[in-house]
């Protein structure tokens, strides 16, 4: 470095310091990232163009299945979801239950009606959905919602076996998580 000017020496040392800082910091940035991995949303699941995103929640809980017998056929059928909802900061928001219904801690509640179902990119997970809000209760944050997406699902699929004549009407819980996006008119 004796042949370099003082300015070039400072620039080289600064570049080395910045590179070292960035290399050491990358694992920390990845560890503390709160944004879920973004996957492409299929066109069929896009909300109406005249709506905007008003709320994003994450659900963790169970899909509850019941073993049923009909016309000699045995199969698992979805009884209800049961999940706790949290906001994007991880703070408790409310719950998700049969209906399907989403209820906020502020007392507002919506029930959805299925519009479109698309297989999850993860073959071991429940489908991604687009739902229309069929009913509202209360005047809180969910009262404006008109469309709901269920995306980024993990787990929750009905068991591949275990529903037999010895288990008719028995229930099984399958852990799942999903992101729920709520839209309202612009």
């Amino acid at each position: 470095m004796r042949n370099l000017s003082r300015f070039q020496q400072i620039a080289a040392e600064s570049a080395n310091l910045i590179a070292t800082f960035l290399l050491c910091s990358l694992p920390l940035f990845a560890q503390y990232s709160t944004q879920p991995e973004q996957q492409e949303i299929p066109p069929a699941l896009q909300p109406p163009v005249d709506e905007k995103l008003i709320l994003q929640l994450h659900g963790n809980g169970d899909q509850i299945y019941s073993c049923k017998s009909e016309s000699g056929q045995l199969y698992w059928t979805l009884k209800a979801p049961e999940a706790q909802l949290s906001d994007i900061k991880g703070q408790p928001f409310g719950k998700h239950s049969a209906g399907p219904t989403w209820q906020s801690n502020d007392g507002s509640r919506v029930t959805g009606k299925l519009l479109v179902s698309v297989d999850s990119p993860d073959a071991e997970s429940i489908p991604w959905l687009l739902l229309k809000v069929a009913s509202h209760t209360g005047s809180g944050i969910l009262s404006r919602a008109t469309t709901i997406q269920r995306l980024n699902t993990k787990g929750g699929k009905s068991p591949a076996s275990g529903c037999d004549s010895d288990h008719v009407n028995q229930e099984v819980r399958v852990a799942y998580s999903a992101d729920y996006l709520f839209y309202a008119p612009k």
Side-chain angles (χ1 to χ4, degrees):
M1 285 204 173
R2 291 183 183 240
N3 295 339
L4 298 176
S5 71
R6 181 73 181 134
F7 175 76
Q8 288 173 322
Q9 288 176 346
I10 292 171
E13 289 172 4
S14 296
N16 284 337
L17 184 62
I18 291 170
T20 302
F21 172 77
L22 290 174
L23 286 173
C24 292
S25 299
L26 285 175
L28 291 175
F29 292 140
Q31 179 180 359
Y32 291 106
S33 174
T34 58
Q35 294 299 318
E37 182 180 326
Q38 294 298 316
Q39 298 184 38
E40 189 169 328
I41 299 170
L45 296 179
Q46 295 296 328
V49 295
D50 61 344
E51 292 187 0
K52 65 180 180 178
L53 181 66
I54 60 166
L55 181 64
Q56 182 175 341
L57 301 175
H58 185 73
N60 269 312
D62 297 314
Q63 295 283 323
I64 305 168
Y65 294 94
S66 180
C67 178
K68 296 294 178 187
S69 175
E70 187 175 300
S71 302
Q73 297 293 315
L74 296 163
Y75 58 93
W76 290 107
T77 186
L78 180 65
K79 178 181 177 186
E82 190 174 282
Q84 295 301 310
L85 300 172
S86 55
D87 64 19
I88 60 173
K89 294 180 181 177
Q91 297 301 307
F93 177 87
K95 63 182 180 177
H96 176 42
S97 58
T101 300
W102 293 263
Q103 183 169 344
S104 170
N105 292 335
D106 70 11
S108 60
R109 178 175 43 195
V110 293
T111 299
K113 180 180 181 200
L114 180 65
L115 293 174
V116 180
S117 176
V118 174
D119 287 343
S120 171
D122 176 0
E124 300 301 314
S125 297
I126 54 178
W128 291 11
L129 306 176
L130 182 67
L131 304 107
K132 177 177 179 56
V133 172
S135 67
H136 296 87
T137 303
S139 59
I141 189 159
L142 294 176
S143 65
R144 296 179 36 230
T146 51
T147 303
I148 305 165
Q149 290 173 318
R150 178 177 77 185
L151 305 171
N152 304 318
T153 55
K154 298 288 181 218
K157 280 189 115 171
S158 64
S161 62
C163 182
D164 54 39
S165 58
D166 293 334
H167 296 95
V168 172
N169 295 324
Q170 288 189 1
E171 294 179 359
V172 65
R173 291 174 168 265
V174 180
Y176 91 103
S177 67
D179 291 328
Y180 295 100
L181 283 67
F182 296 80
Y183 295 84
K186 291 180 181 177

